[in-house]
Amino acid sequence: MDKRLLDILCCPVSKTPVRPATRNELDSINRTVAAGELVTVAGAPVKAKVAEALITVDRKVLYRVDDGIPVMLPEEGIGTLQIADFPHA
């Protein structure tokens, strides 16, 4: 993702800056998706594997990136506290 775009993106709710999710974070997210246990902030189940995502620097919320486009809608955020094996900082 373009560094200039990352510099201006932030969580639409908390205004916390975001960074790209690491491979370990994505793997953990996708294990939870496969188990059918991941929901968005709005309570909608996440059914598709997350190939790319942005995560707030405080590691509380992530937003998927679809076809290179960040989906930064408040209701599309995914809280990381629901992911039991989410990697520690």
Side-chain angles (χ1 to χ4, degrees), residues 21-42:
T22 66
R23 175 55 39 207
N24 285 341
E25 291 167 338
L26 290 171
D27 290 344
S28 178
I29 292 161
N30 287 320
R31 281 191 295 276
T32 308
V33 169
E37 299 173 352
L38 196 65
V39 295
T40 65
V41 172

Side-chain angles (χ1 to χ4, degrees), residues 24-67:
N24 285 341
E25 291 167 338
L26 290 171
D27 290 344
S28 178
I29 292 161
N30 287 320
R31 281 191 295 276
T32 308
V33 169
E37 299 173 352
L38 196 65
V39 295
T40 65
V41 172
V46 177
K47 297 179 181 178
K49 181 178 175 182
V50 178
E52 186 178 4
L54 296 175
I55 186 168
T56 56
V57 295
D58 62 7
R59 305 179 74 249
K60 293 182 179 179
V61 181
L62 65 95
Y63 297 91
R64 72 181 190 285
V65 176
D66 292 340
D67 296 322

